[in-house]
Structure formats: structure tokens, C-alpha cells
């Protein structure tokens, strides 16, 4: 019988819940994980770059055009996505600050109404009687904890800010690294002419592998079966590639 995974073993779980480790973990706050940004950038980079490869190949245009358009896409689209992610994340952080100030203002101006909100929130969680009143008293005795409770429970927000720069950087790096993969066969032939006989076919193969790898990595992080997660990403990317190739074939006659 196979031994249990170390991270899921009861010994590991017990050690992870030692009182001083719990106190340190809570004091440090949750880690920021930029998985969404990485997956977003990686999948979009591979899909858009291979779509260019497929469309240009379908139109029968020279390999040099594929390389030029591919690199233009990597830099321009990758930067655009990174900036959009940066601005979106920063806007989310700014909105959180605005709501925090609004709640502080409401606590100052109408504390009884805000206290009643806390009371009803806790009542919905099963608190009642004197325990409910004691819990309300504890939470509302500290304005920071009071506001934190309102952000979490009333507004459905997280308390931790996401680093906007790191979010944008994760998107850009993933976009460029994975997005470059569809171009590798064409760049290889540019450096070493004629080395790869069928660059488009091999580009499709390595891009499919890249799609699968990104999906499998995502599956590992979200505890989803890696094979299904990888195939899901391959299917999504494949549909986009087929559409781009089809458009290239249909518009081939316009290239003269």
C-alpha cells in the first residue's frame, strides 16, 4: 500500500497546527498567490500567439511574417494584458480602502445601526442569547476588528491587498514565456535554416504540450485531477487555433 502524501499525513497536519505556528501564520496573514494571473497570461499567450501562427500558415504566408507578427503580439498584447491586470488589481485595492473608510465613518456617525448589523450577521451564523451579545460586544469594542468584520461579512471582500505590480508582472512573464512556445520552430528554422521540415505541424505539437502543462499545473494547485485539467486547456486552445487557421484559409485569396 502506498504511503500517504507527506503534506496530507496526520503528522504533518498536527505539526502545522502547533499553537506557536498558528499564531505566527495568523500574524503574518495569508500568502498572495498569483496563480490566476499566471494561468491567465500563460493560456492567453499561447492561444493568441498560436492563433497568429495558425492564421498566417493557413493563409500561406512566409515564415518571416509569422515571426514578426508573433513577436509583436508577445510584446504588445503581453504588455497590454499586464497593464490591464495591474490597473484592475490596483482599482480593487482602492475600492477596498474606500469601503473601509465608509464603514469607519458609519461606525462614528451611527454606531448602534452598525452594531445591529454585526448582531444580525452573527445571528445568521448561529449565535444566540447571551453568547450573541457577548460576541457583538467583543467585535465592536475594537474598531479595526469591527470594520474587518463588515468588509468580510457585509461586503464579501478579502482583507488582504493584492500586489498590483506582482499581479501584472506574473501575467506578462507567463504570457511571454508560454506565448513564445508556438514560435520556437519558426525561430529555430530562422537560426538554422531547414532544420525543421514541417514547422507548423511541430508548432502545433509543442503548443499542445504547453496547453496541457499549464492546465496540469493549474489542476495541481486547485486539487483538480491534473489529466482532466490539462485536457480542458488543450481543448480550449485547440478550438481557438482551429478557428484562426480556418479564417486564414478562407481569406487566403486576399493575400497577393
Amino acid at each position: 500500500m502506498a504511503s500517504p502524501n507527506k503534506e496530507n499525513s496526520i503528522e504533518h497536519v498536527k505539526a502545522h497546527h502547533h499553537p506557536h505556528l498558528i499564531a505566527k501564520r495568523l500574524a503574518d496573514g495569508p500568502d498572495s498567490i498569483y496563480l490566476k494571473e499566471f494561468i491567465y497570461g500563460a493560456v492567453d499567450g499561447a492561444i493568441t500567439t498560436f492563433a497568429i501562427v495558425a492564421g498566417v500558415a493557413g493563409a500561406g504566408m512566409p515564415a518571416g511574417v509569422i515571426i514578426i507578427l508573433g513577436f509583436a503580439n508577445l510584446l504588445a498584447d503581453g504588455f497590454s494584458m499586464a497593464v490591464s491586470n495591474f490597473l484592475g488589481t490596483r482599482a480593487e485595492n482602492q475600492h477596498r480602502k474606500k469601503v473601509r473608510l465608509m464603514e469607519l465613518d458609519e461606525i462614528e456617525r451611527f454606531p448602534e445601526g452598525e452594531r445591529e448589523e454585526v448582531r444580525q450577521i452573527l445571528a445568521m451564523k448561529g449565535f444566540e442569547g447571551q453568547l450573541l451579545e457577548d460576541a457583538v460586544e467583543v467585535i465592536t469594542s475594537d474598531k479595526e476588528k469591527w470594520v474587518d468584520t463588515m468588509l468580510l461579512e457585509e461586503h464579501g471582500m478579502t482583507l488582504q491587498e493584492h500586489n498590483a505590480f506582482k499581479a501584472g508582472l506574473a501575467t506578462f512573464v507567463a504570457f511571454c514565456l508560454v506565448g513564445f512556445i508556438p514560435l520556437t520552430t519558426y525561430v529555430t528554422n530562422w537560426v538554422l535554416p531547414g532544420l525543421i521540415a514541417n514547422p507548423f505541424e511541430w508548432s502545433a505539437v509543442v503548443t499542445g504540450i504547453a496547453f496541457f502543462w499549464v492546465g496540469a499545473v493549474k489542476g495541481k494547485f486547485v486539487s483538480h485531477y491534473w489529466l482532466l485539467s490539462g485536457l480542458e486547456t488543450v481543448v480550449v486552445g485547440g478550438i481557438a487555433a482551429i478557428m484562426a487557421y480556418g479564417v486564414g484559409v478562407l481569406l487566403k485569396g486576399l493575400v497577393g
Side-chain angles (χ1 to χ4, degrees):
M1 181 177 178
S3 60
N5 184 280
K6 180 180 178 181
E7 292 186 357
N8 295 326
S9 67
I10 188 64
E11 291 81 8
H12 177 81
V13 173
K14 285 182 178 179
H16 195 60
H17 286 80
H18 191 280
H20 82 272
L21 291 178
I22 293 175
K24 183 179 185 304
R25 190 164 64 249
L26 293 177
D28 292 342
D31 294 331
S32 289
I33 299 177
Y34 299 94
L35 176 65
K36 182 187 74 172
E37 288 78 7
F38 178 84
I39 298 297
Y40 178 50
V43 172
D44 197 83
I47 288 178
T48 56
T49 307
F50 187 69
I52 289 173
V53 172
V56 175
M61 298 176 71
V65 175
I66 292 177
I67 294 176
I68 293 171
L69 293 180
F71 274 102
N73 172 74
L74 284 180
L75 295 177
D77 201 11
F79 181 76
S80 174
M81 287 183 60
V83 170
S84 297
N85 203 354
F86 168 81
L87 293 175
T89 302
R90 190 172 68 167
E92 185 178 342
N93 291 337
Q94 291 169 337
H95 179 61
R96 184 185 294 103
K97 290 179 180 178
K98 173 187 173 182
V99 174
R100 177 176 288 277
L101 291 174
M102 180 189 71
E103 286 294 337
L104 279 170
D105 180 65
E106 291 181 355
I107 288 172
E108 291 288 343
R109 296 171 60 187
F110 190 38
E112 284 307 315
E114 290 295 305
R115 192 172 284 110
E116 177 60 24
E117 287 185 356
V118 173
R119 182 177 289 106
Q120 294 194 25
I121 288 171
L122 294 179
M124 291 175 63
K125 293 181 177 293
F127 288 81
E128 57 185 18
Q130 189 58 45
L131 179 60
L132 172 60
E133 297 305 319
D134 291 343
V136 171
E137 182 62 29
V138 169
I139 291 175
T140 58
S141 64
D142 185 317
K143 286 186 179 179
E144 287 301 313
K145 290 186 175 63
W146 193 346
V147 172
D148 286 349
T149 300
M150 304 312 293
L151 288 178
L152 287 168
E153 303 295 341
E154 182 182 11
H155 299 282
M157 294 181 173
T158 60
L159 300 180
Q160 184 186 27
E161 288 196 354
H162 218 41
N163 188 300
F165 176 78
K166 289 182 178 179
L169 182 63
T171 299
F172 183 74
V173 170
F175 187 98
C176 291
L177 287 178
V178 182
F180 175 71
I181 291 175
L183 298 174
T184 53
T185 56
Y186 291 94
V187 173
T188 299
N189 268 2
W190 177 64
V191 176
L192 301 171
L195 182 64
I196 300 176
N198 300 298
F200 176 69
E201 286 79 359
W202 281 107
S203 176
V205 170
V206 296
T207 302
I209 294 172
F211 282 144
F212 184 84
W213 175 78
V214 170
V217 170
K218 179 195 71 174
K220 176 178 174 58
F221 273 93
V222 300
S223 298
H224 188 258
Y225 188 43
W226 64 271
L227 181 60
L228 290 179
S229 185
L231 291 175
E232 176 186 58
T233 310
V234 170
V235 170
V236 172
I239 292 173
I242 291 171
M243 292 172 61
Y245 187 82
V247 171
V249 171
L250 290 174
L251 300 180
K252 187 175 181 179
L254 297 179
V255 181

